[in-house]
Amino acid sequence: MLSLPHSPLPHSPLPLPPHSRSPLAHPAPGLTRNLLLGPLIALLLALIAGIAPARAQDSRAQDSRAQDGSGTLLLRFDGGTPVEAPRLKADAAITVSGPTARATITQAFRNTTSEWVEGTYLFPLPEDAAVDMMKLVVGDRVIVADIRERAAARRVYEAAKAEGKAAALTEQQRPNLFTNAVANIGPGETVLVQIEYQQPVRSSAGTYALRLPTVAAPRYSPAPPAVMSVVERSAADPVPDRETIAAPVLDPARHAPINPLTLTIDLKAGFPLGQVRSATHAVRIEERSASERRITLADGATAADRDFELTWNAAPGEAPSVGLFRERVAGAEAVLAVVTPPETASPASPVPRDVVFVIDNSGSMGGASMRQAKASLLIGLDRLGAGDRFNVIRFDHSFDTLFPDLVPADALHLMRAKSFVAGLQASGGTEMLAPLQAALRDATPEETGRLRQVVFLTDGAIGNEAQIFSAIATERGRSRLFMVGIGSAPNGYLMRHAAELGRGSFTQIDTPDQVTERMRALLVKLESPAVTDLTATFSEPGIDVTPARLPDLYRGEPLTLSARMGQARGTLTLTGRIGGQPWQTQLHLDAAQDGTGIGKLWARAKIAEAETARLTGGLTAEAADAAILRLALDHGLTTRLTSLVAVDATPRRPAGMRLASTELPLNLPAGWDFETVFGTQDEAPQPPPPPRQRRAAAPATQIAAAQAVALPQTATDFEIRAWLGALLLVLGLVLSRRRLAA
């Protein structure tokens, strides 16, 4: 059961950073007993005072919860009859044009009741999606959204909601996690929200891939700041927006799947196609021409409970080695270059490696994910060479390091490691920061002649991504970080960005039958020389290019860069070293093919670069925010600082008619084990809380003002009782020390 978030309690011989040590064993220096006692008593009184009303609210919500035969969730107005939550279905239409894809996601909110309803839905998108359009469709009216600063967009939406107007608001909570709020859905009415975005097509080792996330997996957030501010004297919340990234989740054993999805992909590869397939879903593939296919789901509508992935290859001998595309936008040209260095370069002599494997065995990894992660790690151990050294770290809410230090990859140590891995079981919270820091910690930073690599296997189901990115940027040293995403709905934003900051790569394993193929491909990268010292030089001045600093590449990986200039002319020269030998190629920009969405992708990449600079100290928060806001408003993109809002001009809800507000529930990601994540639910069927955490209860006055009971956020008060127990223990120790001192 993943009910109790807390700081990691190390079972590891490696030292922990100060912020992850046990608060009982390491009190804050210089903090007197009296200074500690006051905040503890205040916090205890606040928590005790809040338990009764919080539980009372939960009880009212539970008692009002009902379900029909399909597992539909019902709300109850104060003193009224049960009201069904809006039903949702979605359709995705995606067109792939060479290196880019344009997607339209249509979400249909259906109100089957006689009441007026507002629905909020948490949903994922690709982490590199440039979301630039939203439309609200009410009957025969189509309202196109405006892009505004986030706070201004929220004010417009709330005003429209209060005035009874149909309105929709799309907000980014993470680059891969969004919310749609739709207000004033009339009785018996279906309202459509259409979202459009541009994204790049990924490629590696000659395989092209398109991913569509369909469910927002529950995320773990570290300890509440109220507790940590007492024991560590820090009020900073590692997940300040924890409310916005959580939603109710249905137990698949008690509720039928919801939120059906239909999907159509028009694939226009730009070259003759070989194999086209999906490892995640059964698909129907219609051949339109040698280079074009139409792909649909073979079973029609399917439950939104896993990422969809489509992959394709070029026909033999037809794979392009260089892709150069341009688009004219607002008096300037945007260029996208995709270059794959040759794999035929003479390999360098094998270099001995120090490899630290980190495996997530928290509750969200239960079931198929845990089996995939263990199988992947065992393959990694088998690929170690005689001159390699290694270690293994496992983590949930605590972590263990198998060996005190790196050990030789000999038969005895490998046997111990395999036995350790085989015995792992999934449970507990996902405290990722401390094991990551332990893995990056390098006892011999001055040692040369050895590669230091960290292979991190996880689903990434956390909310404190910013903490993780900051730790990687400041502590990576000479280590290279390779992220392995496990399961049906991993956090791609965390995985891909962590790998970029760690100068490694990201590998996704969706299904058990991909473990061997994709892990071996990753391990070949680890054993192969990287393309290093990459530089890009334009012959013309005044080019704004991203990324500003080119990453190292591994075998089969392309270099992708985008640039904005007045006119695409002159040359782009790429130089680097492969296996110690120099490599160079030159591209003529005036030969670029016409592309679509290149300008949006350039702006999206520049925004991501500014966000990284903000997190790693390359830019001040003010400078980064100014750059992001300018780019977002100029290119009409949804970001952390901007939102899309659409409002119908005519009020619809009659004055005095109440409005029910609810969060739409989500499916549990396929392969996840509900009880391992949330614990056994002993009460009436209901959507459980986000895992291992509890939201603060809304004051009774707010509930009355909303005229609706909010969805309960937990089934038990275990977390509160556990936190109270821990705090009472601390208080007891303080009082005992005072008596002894007296």
Side-chain angles (χ1 to χ4, degrees):
M1 178 172 178
L2 305 184
S3 299
L4 179 60
H6 56 81
S7 296
L9 301 178
H11 302 284
S12 166
L14 293 180
L16 283 176
H19 64 269
S20 63
R21 295 173 182 159
S22 166
L24 299 182
H26 303 274
L31 189 62
T32 67
R33 288 186 296 272
N34 288 334
L35 287 176
L36 179 61
L37 183 60
L40 279 172
I41 292 174
L43 179 59
L44 283 170
L45 290 174
L47 286 174
I48 291 169
I51 288 177
R55 293 300 300 153
Q57 178 186 334
D58 283 353
S59 297
R60 288 196 303 272
Q62 289 161 200
D63 294 342
S64 69
R65 193 74 55 220
Q67 60 173 347
D68 62 15
S70 67
T72 297
L73 297 177
L74 304 180
L75 304 175
R76 186 192 300 275
F77 287 106
D78 289 343
T81 57
V83 177
E84 182 182 331
R87 297 188 182 186
L88 178 77
K89 62 180 180 180
D91 175 76
I94 305 174
T95 299
V96 177
S97 302
T100 66
R102 182 73 181 177
T104 300
I105 310 297
T106 302
Q107 297 171 348
F109 295 82
R110 183 186 175 204
N111 177 11
T112 62
T113 75
S114 59
E115 302 283 351
W116 289 83
V117 173
E118 175 196 31
T120 301
Y121 181 58
L122 181 71
F123 65 100
L125 288 177
E127 63 273 9
D128 49 7
V131 181
D132 60 357
M133 184 172 290
M134 185 260 281
K135 298 175 184 176
L136 174 63
V137 182
V138 183
D140 58 356
R141 298 189 303 283
V142 178
I143 303 100
V144 179
D146 295 325
I147 189 77
R148 303 194 182 205
E149 292 190 45
R150 184 171 181 136
R154 169 60 69 173
R155 288 194 298 270
V156 169
Y157 173 80
E158 293 293 344
K161 182 174 74 172
E163 294 167 4
K165 298 176 181 178
L169 177 69
T170 300
E171 294 180 313
Q172 175 186 299
Q173 312 304 341
R174 295 289 186 276
N176 65 338
L177 200 59
F178 294 75
T179 50
N180 264 346
V182 186
N184 293 308
I185 307 174
E189 188 174 52
T190 297
V191 172
L192 305 181
V193 177
Q194 286 189 331
I195 298 169
E196 297 185 26
Y197 65 84
Q198 197 80 22
Q199 73 174 117
V201 170
R202 301 270 180 184
S203 64
S204 180
T207 298
Y208 299 81
L210 179 76
R211 294 187 70 86
L212 175 67
T214 72
V215 64
R219 298 191 180 191
Y220 174 88
S221 293
V227 175
M228 300 315 295
S229 64
V230 172
V231 298
E232 294 185 355
R233 296 193 301 168
S234 172
D237 189 345
V239 192
D241 60 347
R242 62 185 68 222
E243 295 288 326
T244 66
I245 63 172
V249 180
L250 294 183
D251 181 349
R254 299 180 177 181
H255 299 271
I258 56 174
N259 306 343
L261 170 75
T262 53
L263 172 68
T264 302
I265 298 176
D266 286 313
L267 172 59
K268 302 174 183 178
F271 50 78
L273 285 162
Q275 185 182 51
V276 179
R277 63 186 295 266
S278 172
T280 59
H281 292 70
V283 294
R284 184 178 294 108
I285 301 174
E286 177 187 349
E287 183 173 344
R288 295 292 182 90
S289 71
S291 60
E292 297 182 356
R293 303 287 188 273
R294 167 162 284 192
I295 298 94
T296 54
L297 296 172
D299 300 326
T302 187
D305 65 357
R306 72 194 69 194
D307 286 6
F308 173 86
E309 182 187 67
L310 184 74
T311 60
W312 60 95
N313 301 89
E318 299 290 346
S321 59
V322 175
L324 191 60
F325 305 88
R326 64 180 175 185
E327 179 187 38
R328 191 77 181 173
V329 180
E333 284 193 292
V335 172
L336 178 69
V338 183
V339 184
T340 302
E343 297 189 38
T344 56
S346 301
S349 300
V351 178
R353 297 178 298 143
D354 293 337
V355 186
V356 181
F357 296 97
V358 185
I359 182 169
D360 178 354
N361 69 295
S362 64
S364 65
M365 294 285 289
S369 294
M370 194 73 250
R371 293 190 293 273
Q372 290 171 217
K374 290 162 69 171
S376 299
L377 203 161
L378 292 173
I379 291 174
L381 292 172
D382 282 336
R383 293 283 299 199
L384 292 172
D388 295 337
R389 300 182 303 196
F390 78 102
N391 209 338
V392 179
I393 297 174
R394 67 101 219 147
F395 74 95
D396 43 40
H397 52 276
S398 62
F399 75 90
D400 290 314
T401 302
L402 179 58
F403 302 109
D405 203 348
L406 294 164
V407 297
D410 55 32
L412 179 61
H413 288 111
L414 287 172
M415 183 174 65
R416 282 190 59 189
K418 291 178 181 179
S419 176
F420 175 78
V421 172
L424 294 178
Q425 295 183 353
S427 66
T430 314
E431 291 285 353
M432 187 179 292
L433 181 61
L436 172 69
Q437 291 171 321
L440 293 175
R441 193 171 299 122
D442 187 358
T444 57
E446 74 287 347
E447 186 168 355
T448 58
R450 300 184 69 87
L451 295 176
R452 193 174 195 281
Q453 301 168 335
V454 176
V455 180
F456 207 105
L457 301 102
T458 179
D459 59 13
I462 62 169
N464 59 320
E465 294 98 332
Q467 271 192 327
I468 300 301
F469 298 151
S470 179
I472 295 170
T474 58
E475 302 179 36
R476 67 190 175 194
R478 65 188 180 99
S479 300
R480 302 297 173 97
L481 179 61
F482 297 84
M483 301 296 294
V484 182
I486 300 292
S488 60
N491 183 350
Y493 166 55
L494 170 73
M495 302 292 194
R496 196 174 299 280
H497 199 46
E500 290 172 354
L501 288 171
R503 298 173 299 178
S505 65
F506 167 49
T507 299
Q508 172 62 45
I509 298 177
D510 300 281
T511 60
D513 60 353
Q514 293 177 330
V515 170
T516 299
E517 170 198 352
R518 296 198 174 182
M519 274 305 294
R520 291 195 183 281
L522 169 63
L523 296 168
V524 166
K525 291 179 183 179
L526 270 64
E527 298 162 6
S528 303
V531 184
T532 59
D533 302 329
L534 277 168
T535 61
T537 305
F538 288 88
S539 62
E540 298 293 319
I543 309 298
D544 193 344
V545 62
T546 180
R549 180 179 179 183
L550 300 185
D552 292 343
L553 300 178
Y554 292 84
R555 178 171 294 182
E557 289 189 340
L559 169 66
T560 302
L561 59 83
S562 55
R564 184 177 171 88
M565 60 199 73
Q567 184 176 351
R569 62 185 181 188
T571 60
L572 165 61
T573 302
L574 298 169
T575 61
R577 300 184 70 83
I578 302 178
Q581 301 299 315
W583 169 77
Q584 177 176 303
T585 189
Q586 190 175 79
L587 311 178
H588 292 273
L589 299 183
D590 56 4
Q593 305 174 48
D594 290 336
T596 57
I598 308 298
K600 299 282 188 183
L601 297 183
W602 171 84
R604 180 67 183 79
K606 292 289 291 185
I607 288 169
E609 201 167 68
E611 291 282 20
T612 298
R614 180 180 64 88
L615 291 172
T616 59
L619 285 175
T620 65
E622 294 77 11
D625 285 356
I628 292 166
L629 187 59
R630 183 179 65 255
L631 285 162
L633 294 176
D634 287 348
H635 295 269
L637 299 179
T638 306
T639 67
R640 175 175 55 85
L641 302 176
T642 53
S643 303
L644 286 163
V645 61
V647 175
D648 194 4
T650 305
R652 311 173 66 246
R653 176 165 52 91
M657 290 291 291
R658 56 194 175 187
L659 179 68
S661 298
T662 178
E663 295 174 276
L664 277 67
L666 307 176
N667 294 315
L668 188 72
W672 284 39
D673 183 86
F674 185 87
E675 290 190 3
T676 304
V677 177
F678 296 105
T680 301
Q681 305 295 309
D682 298 324
E683 301 167 355
Q686 60 179 301
R692 292 117 23 220
Q693 62 189 28
R694 180 189 183 92
R695 294 193 195 183
T701 53
Q702 292 182 12
I703 297 172
Q707 297 181 334
V709 177
L711 291 172
Q713 297 308 310
T714 189
T716 73
D717 61 357
F718 172 77
E719 290 181 18
I720 291 294
R721 290 187 284 108
W723 277 114
L724 280 175
L727 287 167
L728 287 170
L729 176 61
V730 176
L731 181 59
L733 289 173
V734 173
L735 293 174
S736 297
R737 289 184 179 182
R738 292 192 68 186
R739 285 195 295 269
L740 289 173

